[in-house]
């Protein structure tokens, strides 16, 4: 049977990393990956994580299974982080939740939940979006469509086009939104625009699903919840998929969460049972370590302060590199206005580089960027930024 199995196409982004590793050129620079890197090009292990791990190792309890929905202390702590400790949906107990293996796990549980409970629903995604989004929903058998999001001419949000597409959605469809730090464009709605989007989405009877993978990487841990909070209204429903891969730098520990905000506590109980059913047949129950680390940090005042500081360091470095890149492009006489790079948020910048330009960057200058022209700004350092700007100038 296996001889008849055809090879699957390589993952567009992970395939590039393999090519980068195999590239013998010493001057090579990887701006294609989706992980944060510090000034030395390393993905750090946060000090607060090290301390939480020390504490957990010093007082081990058990390695028995977690409940299907995960560690309750963790779920509550991360729900408060996303919605706010005093949020009405939490105090009215109308939020069902699950600790999931990363944000991807949360998205897949959400997709299976949608497929099982709303078989007529189409999930609408921004054009462009994270390439794994369509794959996850397709794997769950959920139909997908695209809505307008990015205006390449102005390097800004195409709000008009987006709202027009919301008008084409059917009641009972789902709209997938990036909570902040839109991947790949780096363009987020302003708080005012978020309100308009939420009004249109709810007026249409569409269910919002917020993918929240970069909380704290745009303007601040609290500030970055503005989009999510625009959808928190009395009785209103929504799904949120959180990831703590980036903001706790816990990538391989697979730490995420799914929240389903139901209209009532009663409805939340039924939704919880359906989420549990999906989890049970997928991976039964989630892994413990990463969630224990996050719960330890968020539950301890001093560790939490330390974490907030470490997130600020990552955020400030990324935003600093944005300004540096704009300056370096100017210094190298690259024609055009690149100030939009400074307005974008999160790890990624949609540079506007075309596919042939991306190929030249890789083939001639050993600089790796994904085909869409998405640059990982966190891959820039004071050592490589000049060369990057110079080579961008050459391929333009
Ligand atoms: C937009 C978006 N959503 C979700 C994820 C999932 O993150 P993870 O599964 O690693 O927690 C990522 C990671 O790159 C992402 O960029």
């Amino acid at each position: 049977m296996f001889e008849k199995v055809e090879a699957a196409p390589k993952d567009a982004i992970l395939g590039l990393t393999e090519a980068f590793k195999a590239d013998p050129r010493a001057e090579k620079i990887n701006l294609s990956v989706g992980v944060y890197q510090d000034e030395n090009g390393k993905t750090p292990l946060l000090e607060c994580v090290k301390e939480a791990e020390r504490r957990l190792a010093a007082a081990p309890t058990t390695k028995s299974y977690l409940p299907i929905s995960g560690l309750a202390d963790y779920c509550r702590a991360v729900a408060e982080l996303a919605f706010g400790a005093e949020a009405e949906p939490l105090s009215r107990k109308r939020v069902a939740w699950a600790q999931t293996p990363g944000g991807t796990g949360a998205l897949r549980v959400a997709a299976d939940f949608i497929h099982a409970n709303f078989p007529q629903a189409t999930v609408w995604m921004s054009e462009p979006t994270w390439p794994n989004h369509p794959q996850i929903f397709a794997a769950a058998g959920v139909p997908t469509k695209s809505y307008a999001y990015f205006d390449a001419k102005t390097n800004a949000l195409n709000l008009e086009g987006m709202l027009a597409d919301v008008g084409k959605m059917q009641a009972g469809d789902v709209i997938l939104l990036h909570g902040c730090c839109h991947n790949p464009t780096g363009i987020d709605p302003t708080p005012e625009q978020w309100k308009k989007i939420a009004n249109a989405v709810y007026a249409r009877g569409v269910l919002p699903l917020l993918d929240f993978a970069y909380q704290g990487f745009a303007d601040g841990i609290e500030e970055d919840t503005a989009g999510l909070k625009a959808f928190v209204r009395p009785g209103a429903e929504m799904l949120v998929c959180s990831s703590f891969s980036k903001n706790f730098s816990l990538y391989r520990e697979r730490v995420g969460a799914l929240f389903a905000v139901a209209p009532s506590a009663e409805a939340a109980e039924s939704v919880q049972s359906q989420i549990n059913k999906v989890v049970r047949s997928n991976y039964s129950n989630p892994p413990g370590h990463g969630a224990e680390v996050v719960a330890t940090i968020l539950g301890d005042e001093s560790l939490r302060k330390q974490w907030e500081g470490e997130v600020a360091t990552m955020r400030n470095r990324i935003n600093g590199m944005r300004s540096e890149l704009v300056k370096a492009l100017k210094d190298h006489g690259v024609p055009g206005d690149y100030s939009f790079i400074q307005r974008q948020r999160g790890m990624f910048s949609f540079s506007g580089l075309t596919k042939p330009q991306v190929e030249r960057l890789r083939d001639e200058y050993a600089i790796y960027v994904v085909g869409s022209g998405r640059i990982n700004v966190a891959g820039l350092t004071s050592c490589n930024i000049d060369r990057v700007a110079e080579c961008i100038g050459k391929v333009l």
Side-chain angles (χ1 to χ4, degrees):
M1 288 160 77
F2 291 176
E3 278 178 344
K4 293 189 194 122
V5 174
E6 284 176 28
K10 275 195 177 158
D11 183 279
I13 298 173
L14 299 182
L16 261 184
T17 300
E18 280 170 36
F20 175 81
K21 280 187 190 150
D23 192 328
R25 291 173 287 182
E27 70 277 19
K28 63 186 179 179
I29 299 170
N30 192 359
L31 302 179
S32 68
V33 289
V35 296
Y36 172 83
Q37 291 173 334
D38 64 16
E39 178 56 26
N40 303 310
K42 296 270 181 302
T43 300
L45 181 53
L46 301 188
E47 290 303 320
C48 60
V49 167
K50 281 189 215 166
E51 177 54 25
E53 289 187 320
R54 256 182 239 120
R55 292 185 194 179
L56 289 167
T61 51
T62 178
K63 292 287 183 189
S64 179
Y65 292 124
L66 283 174
I68 294 173
S69 60
L71 195 65
D73 284 351
Y74 162 87
C75 288
R76 172 148 289 280
V78 293
E80 289 181 359
L81 195 66
F83 292 91
E86 310 296 327
E88 175 272 341
L90 292 174
S91 61
R92 303 219 16 214
K93 298 197 184 330
R94 59 184 189 94
V95 184
W97 58 40
Q99 173 204 328
T100 56
T104 307
L107 285 161
R108 181 57 197 260
V109 173
D112 284 346
F113 169 76
I114 290 166
H115 185 253
N117 295 281
F118 315 112
Q120 309 301 331
T122 292
V123 173
W124 293 73
M125 308 180 171
S126 62
E127 172 52 39
T129 192
W130 183 45
N132 211 14
H133 278 151
Q135 298 186 152
I136 293 168
F137 287 88
V142 178
T144 57
K145 282 188 183 161
S146 295
Y147 61 84
Y149 188 81
F150 179 64
D151 182 348
K153 278 197 213 98
T154 55
N155 267 296
L157 177 70
N158 174 7
L159 183 65
E160 227 170 84
M162 183 180 182
L163 294 178
D165 281 348
V166 171
K168 294 178 194 154
M169 297 173 191
Q170 302 293 317
D173 280 352
V174 179
I175 182 168
L176 173 56
L177 298 146
H178 298 222
C180 68
C181 305
H182 184 272
N183 178 3
T185 67
I187 307 284
D188 289 338
T190 63
E192 277 312 303
Q193 289 173 329
W194 273 121
K195 273 187 209 140
K196 284 189 186 155
I197 294 166
N199 288 345
V201 165
Y202 282 140
R204 196 81 202 152
V206 167
L207 178 70
L209 189 172
L210 272 89
D211 182 5
F212 204 23
Y214 298 93
Q215 185 177 1
F217 269 39
D219 296 308
I221 293 164
E222 163 91 34
E223 290 83 343
D224 292 354
T225 62
L228 188 157
K229 284 177 182 158
F231 288 91
V232 177
R233 300 175 181 192
E237 301 178 343
M238 69 190 291
L239 291 167
V240 178
C241 296
S242 283
S243 164
F244 302 99
S245 302
K246 315 281 165 16
N247 54 12
F248 281 83
S249 202
L250 275 171
Y251 304 84
R252 66 175 64 173
E253 297 296 353
R254 313 306 301 133
V255 202
L258 168 67
F259 306 109
V261 182
S264 65
E266 223 178 4
E269 267 185 48
S270 300
V271 169
Q272 184 71 59
S273 72
Q274 289 292 341
I275 289 174
N276 289 2
K277 190 171 166 218
V278 168
V279 169
R280 183 71 173 138
S281 57
N282 261 312
Y283 51 87
S284 193
N285 49 73
H289 183 71
E292 284 164 4
V293 168
V294 169
T296 303
I297 293 169
L298 295 179
D300 180 284
E301 213 178 309
S302 77
L303 281 182
R304 191 186 178 108
K305 276 236 138 50
Q306 190 177 17
W307 171 66
E308 288 168 3
E310 294 191 88
V311 174
T313 300
M314 292 192 277
R315 177 176 64 246
N316 293 339
R317 190 183 111 66
I318 295 169
N319 290 337
M321 279 297 127
R322 289 187 175 283
S323 318
E324 293 288 312
L325 181 59
V326 175
K327 185 174 169 295
L329 288 166
K330 208 170 174 193
D331 292 350
H332 282 279
V334 179
D337 175 12
Y338 288 90
S339 58
F340 66 85
I341 293 175
Q342 240 163 314
R343 290 193 297 273
Q344 296 168 334
R345 281 291 170 267
M347 294 209 303
F348 304 114
S349 176
F350 225 35
S351 62
L353 288 164
T354 62
K355 220 172 173 153
Q357 289 165 344
V358 166
E359 278 165 15
R360 275 191 67 201
L361 272 182
R362 186 183 60 228
D363 297 343
E364 293 176 31
Y365 304 108
I367 297 175
Y368 285 70
V369 172
V370 281
S372 61
R374 184 194 85 169
I375 286 178
N376 178 6
V377 182
L380 295 169
T381 66
S382 52
C383 298
N384 68 23
I385 198 160
D386 253 341
R387 206 176 138 252
V388 169
E390 187 191 343
C391 296
I392 288 177
K394 285 181 184 163
V395 301
L396 284 176

